[in-house]
């Protein structure tokens, strides 16, 4: 199955944000919800089980000049195995124009045993845009081994690379992913990326949040918080603490 969800946000000229495009397909249902202040809020609601092996899901969000957009999901996403053992793809594409701000804060992605999922998130920002992006990944359900999960995050600002990283976990991933130099036995991992022009004058310092969370300033007005945790609840606590500190 192939399905695409498309969102377009535009400043409405009255201090708010309109949604001229809000269209989902298949399992990608979209609902407008209340945002904060000038934000338009959108909830991604899973209309059926997905992604299954062989599926290709795409979420595209375009924030026009001055638009404010908050994107969330209603529940965790389960990567499930298909009948024929095919891999699945989940692509997220964000485009932020000048003076826009987007918060992409989905619920966790759970890699179920036997699944094979490749996730690609790409964000393209104008120099004055702001982005808060959270990723949370859970390797297997309770007492279950994970599937193969490959995730790549690429961010450009003003047409120049800001961040490009890739992670592979589970059966078939390069050796050492679960060792002391990798996840060290943890089964939940996540990150929070905040891109904000205010960091050009006042960049956050490198820091440690708890035992397994690190704050890394990037070569640009951005900060990346990466975290490991024993469960999804503790991971969310760490990333929400980071969002209160570095976000808006």
């Amino acid at each position: 199955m192939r399905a695409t969800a498309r969102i377009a946000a535009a400043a409405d000229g009255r201090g708010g944000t309109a949604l001229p495009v809000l269209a989902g397909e298949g399992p990608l249902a979209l609902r407008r919800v209340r945002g904060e202040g000038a934000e338009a809020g959108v909830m991604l609601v899973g209309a059926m089980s997905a992604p299954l092996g062989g599926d290709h899901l795409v979420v595209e969000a375009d924030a026009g000049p001055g638009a404010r957009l908050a994107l969330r999901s209603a529940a965790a996403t389960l990567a499930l195995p298909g009948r024929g053992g095919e891999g699945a793809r989940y692509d997220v594409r964000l485009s932020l124009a000048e003076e826009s701000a987007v918060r992409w804060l989905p619920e966790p992605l759970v890699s179920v045993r036997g699944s094979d999922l490749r996730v690609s998130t790409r964000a393209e920002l104008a120099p004055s845009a702001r982005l808060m992006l959270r990723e949370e990944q859970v390797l297997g359900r309770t007492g279950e081994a994970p599937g193969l999960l490959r995730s790549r995050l690429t961010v450009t600002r003003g047409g120049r690379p800001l961040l490009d990283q890739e992670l592979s976990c589970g059966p078939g991933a390069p050796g050492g992913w679960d060792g002391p130099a990798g996840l060290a036995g943890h089964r939940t991992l996540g990150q929070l990326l905040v891109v904000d022009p205010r960091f050009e004058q006042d960049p956050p310092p490198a820091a440690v949040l708890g035992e397994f969370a690190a704050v890394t300033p990037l070569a640009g007005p951005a900060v990346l918080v990466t975290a490991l945790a024993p469960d999804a609840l503790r991971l969310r606590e760490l990333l929400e603490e980071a969002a209160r500190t570095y976000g808006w």
Side-chain angles (χ1 to χ4, degrees):
M1 176 180 59
R2 298 177 63 91
T4 301
R6 296 181 175 87
I7 305 117
D12 63 8
R14 302 186 301 274
T17 299
L19 296 172
V21 177
L22 192 64
E25 298 175 340
L28 301 176
L30 299 173
R31 301 289 184 267
R32 177 156 191 172
V33 297
R34 185 181 298 276
E36 297 181 8
E39 282 184 336
V42 175
M43 187 72 70
L44 182 63
V45 180
M48 61 182 73
S49 295
L52 298 168
D55 289 351
H56 186 187
L57 307 182
V58 180
V59 176
E60 298 178 345
D62 186 352
R68 303 286 186 268
L69 181 63
L71 298 170
R72 302 178 184 271
S73 60
T77 298
L78 268 65
L80 300 167
R83 292 183 178 180
E86 309 97 325
R89 291 181 56 188
Y90 196 136
D91 297 334
V92 177
R93 301 165 185 163
L94 308 175
S95 178
L96 285 71
E98 295 287 357
E99 304 295 335
S100 67
V102 172
R103 295 191 296 156
W104 169 239
L105 305 172
E107 292 301 303
L109 169 65
V110 182
S111 176
V112 173
R113 180 175 59 189
S115 64
D116 181 352
L117 177 64
R118 184 182 294 273
V119 180
S120 174
T121 302
R122 182 174 182 85
E124 299 178 351
L125 283 70
S128 59
R130 294 184 296 161
L131 172 67
M132 184 189 303
L133 184 151
R134 183 182 71 208
E135 292 185 337
E136 298 170 315
Q137 297 163 346
V138 179
L139 303 182
R141 294 169 292 193
T142 301
E144 177 185 69
L148 174 59
L149 176 62
R150 290 165 288 184
S151 176
R152 183 171 182 178
L153 172 60
T154 306
V155 181
T156 62
R157 178 176 180 267
R160 302 181 64 181
L162 179 65
L163 177 66
D164 192 348
Q165 66 175 25
E166 188 167 359
L167 174 71
S168 297
C169 300
W177 67 270
D178 198 26
L183 302 187
H186 291 85
R187 281 296 178 267
T188 61
L189 61 154
Q191 56 190 358
L192 180 82
L193 172 68
V194 179
V195 184
D196 195 323
R198 64 188 169 97
F199 293 153
E200 289 181 317
Q201 303 300 323
D202 186 21
V208 175
L209 297 176
E211 186 177 0
F212 292 102
V215 180
T216 305
L218 301 182
V223 63
L224 179 67
V225 179
T226 54
L228 301 175
D231 55 53
L233 178 60
R234 178 56 181 154
L235 180 66
R236 176 63 60 86
E237 290 174 348
L238 288 168
L239 296 182
E240 285 189 342
E241 178 186 350
R244 289 190 295 269
T245 301
Y246 303 106
W248 66 88

